[in-house]
Amino acid sequence: TPESVRGSGRVLLLIPRFNSSVHFRERASALLREQQFSAVRVLLLHGHDPREQRSAEELQSSLPAKNVPVVHVTDLRTLMLELKEASFVLTERYHGAIAALAIGIPFEVVSQEKGDKLAADNAAVDAMRSRFNSVDFDGEVVIGEGDKDKAPLLYISEKLGTKKGPA
C-alpha cells in the first residue's frame, strides 16, 4: 500500500495500457479516495498509440481528481524523472513496476483480464509444456528464461517428456 511519503508531496503515478481494465480504473479511484495524494499523473509509455490515448482519456474521466495531466514518456530519462517524484505507482505495465522497483518506489501491479500479455504467455507455455510431456522422450531444458514458478517460461533444468524414450 502507498504508505511511504517521498519529499513534501505525495504523487500518484498511473501507468495504464491501451486495453486498460475497469479494475485498473476502479483501483486508481479507490487509491485517490483512500490516500492523501497532492498530485496524480497518468504516464503513457506508448503515447503515440491512439488506443492508449483513448485509454488515458477514459481513465481521466473516471477519476475523482480533476485536471489529471497525461505525460507521454518517450525515453528512459523522462520515465525516471517522473518516477523519482512519485510516492506510489499503480501500473498495468510491468516495465513501470520494474522501474519503480529499481529506484525503490512502492508500486502495485494490476493484472489485466482479457488480452493480458502474461496470461497469453502463460497459456502458450502451458500448451508447449503439455505437448512436450506427451512425447516419449526423457528431456531436460538447457536453455530457458523462466525460473520455476516465477515466470511463464520453460526454466533451466526443467524435466520434460514421458521419460519412456530417448534422452
Side-chain angles (χ1 to χ4, degrees), residues 117-131:
K117 180 182 180 292
L118 289 181
D121 287 350
N122 197 34
V125 170
D126 285 347
M128 184 171 42
R129 184 175 284 123
S130 175
R131 180 66 182 124

Side-chain angles (χ1 to χ4, degrees), residues 105-140:
I105 306 298
F107 66 92
E108 179 180 332
V109 177
V110 176
S111 64
Q112 295 174 291
E113 294 155 30
K114 185 177 181 182
D116 188 336
K117 180 182 180 292
L118 289 181
D121 287 350
N122 197 34
V125 170
D126 285 347
M128 184 171 42
R129 184 175 284 123
S130 175
R131 180 66 182 124
F132 276 132
N133 286 333
S134 71
V135 176
D136 286 338
F137 80 108
D138 186 8
E140 180 177 338

Side-chain angles (χ1 to χ4, degrees), residues 12-18 20 24 28 41-46 52 55 59 71 73 79 82-83 86 88-100 107-110:
L12 173 62
L13 291 184
L14 304 172
I15 307 176
R17 291 182 61 89
F18 76 88
S20 190
F24 183 80
R41 287 193 289 277
V42 176
L43 300 186
L44 296 184
L45 302 186
H46 292 278
E52 194 151 303
S55 179
L59 178 59
V71 178
V73 176
L79 176 61
E82 289 294 329
L83 284 169
F88 193 75
V89 174
L90 180 68
T91 182
E92 279 184 311
R93 292 191 171 278
Y94 292 97
H95 296 92
I98 291 167
F107 66 92
E108 179 180 332
V109 177
V110 176

Side-chain angles (χ1 to χ4, degrees), residues 49-113:
D49 186 336
R51 298 172 303 170
E52 194 151 303
Q53 292 171 10
R54 279 191 300 279
S55 179
E57 290 167 5
E58 290 174 12
L59 178 59
Q60 284 176 303
S61 67
S62 72
L63 296 174
K66 300 302 172 207
N67 301 317
V68 174
V70 174
V71 178
H72 293 254
V73 176
T74 58
D75 54 39
L76 184 58
R77 182 179 176 278
T78 304
L79 176 61
M80 298 312 282
L81 288 172
E82 289 294 329
L83 284 169
K84 285 181 181 180
E85 292 184 27
S87 54
F88 193 75
V89 174
L90 180 68
T91 182
E92 279 184 311
R93 292 191 171 278
Y94 292 97
H95 296 92
I98 291 167
L101 178 65
I103 62 174
I105 306 298
F107 66 92
E108 179 180 332
V109 177
V110 176
S111 64
Q112 295 174 291
E113 294 155 30

Side-chain angles (χ1 to χ4, degrees), residues 145-157:
E145 295 181 0
D147 290 331
K148 188 176 182 181
D149 300 322
K150 293 184 182 173
L153 301 165
L154 298 177
Y155 58 91
I156 296 171
S157 299

